[in-house]
Structure formats: structure tokens, C-alpha cells
Amino acid sequence: MSAIIIGGNECMGRTYRDLCAKYNISARSIPLKKGSFANQLGNPDFIFVCMDTVSHPLVISAQKEAKKHGAQLVKLRRGSASALERELIRVTAQA
């Protein structure tokens, strides 16, 4: 499985990837606050969006891209490692 993490803290990128690897998910972190990321997505299974650090138009864009690629969009209220891990546990239990 693969995932894209949009937003969050730039310094946390490595932590995000390590947490995802713990659950056998290869991840890429895109620490955008606004702008376009459509050409950076690829074909992920999950798109995690850290809601506290991204703009509203970016969330809408992420929703469109998730629908276009057939990926599951997961919204994180905070960009913390514990919030990401909680959602990783949830989505891997469903899979």
C-alpha cells in the first residue's frame, strides 16, 4: 500500500514516513500549505491531509484528486505523529 501525506510540519516528514513503514505503507510527505500537487501524487491508496496546516482550497483539491485516483482520503485534525498513527491503525484494520 502507498500513501501521500499533505501538510503537516516539514520537520516531521521523516517521522511520518517511519510511522507508515511500521504499518507496511510506503509514504511520501508533501508539506504544502497551498498550491497544486496533482503532478506529485502518482497513484496512492491513501491520501492523508493534515487539516490544521493546509488551506481550504487545497483540501478541496485533495478531495478531487482522491476521487480521480480512487484513493481513500483521510483527514487528520492535527499534523501530529499520534494523530497519523491513530488513523493508520484504523485504515490498516479495514484493509
Side-chain angles (χ1 to χ4, degrees):
M1 289 191 280
S2 63
I4 302 291
I5 302 165
I6 300 169
N9 190 336
E10 290 182 37
C11 300
M12 293 284 289
R14 180 66 185 188
T15 304
Y16 296 150
R17 288 190 300 274
D18 290 344
L19 270 174
C20 289
K22 181 178 170 182
Y23 294 94
N24 296 322
I25 297 175
S26 63
R28 192 167 24 151
S29 178
I30 303 173
L32 296 177
K33 308 264 186 281
K34 58 183 179 178
S36 175
F37 58 87
N39 58 347
Q40 300 177 32
L41 279 183
N43 196 15
D45 297 309
F46 303 103
I47 298 176
F48 293 94
V49 180
C50 301
M51 300 295 289
D52 62 339
T53 59
V54 297
S55 65
H56 187 72
L58 186 62
V59 174
I60 293 170
S61 178
Q63 289 174 330
K64 289 178 184 175
E65 290 299 321
K67 187 175 182 179
K68 185 167 83 173
H69 292 284
Q72 181 181 353
L73 182 72
V74 181
K75 296 177 183 176
L76 305 171
R77 285 194 174 195
R78 302 276 179 218
S80 67
S82 61
L84 177 61
E85 187 165 24
R86 186 171 39 251
E87 290 300 320
L88 285 169
I89 292 168
R90 188 183 63 78
V91 299
T92 55
Q94 291 177 354

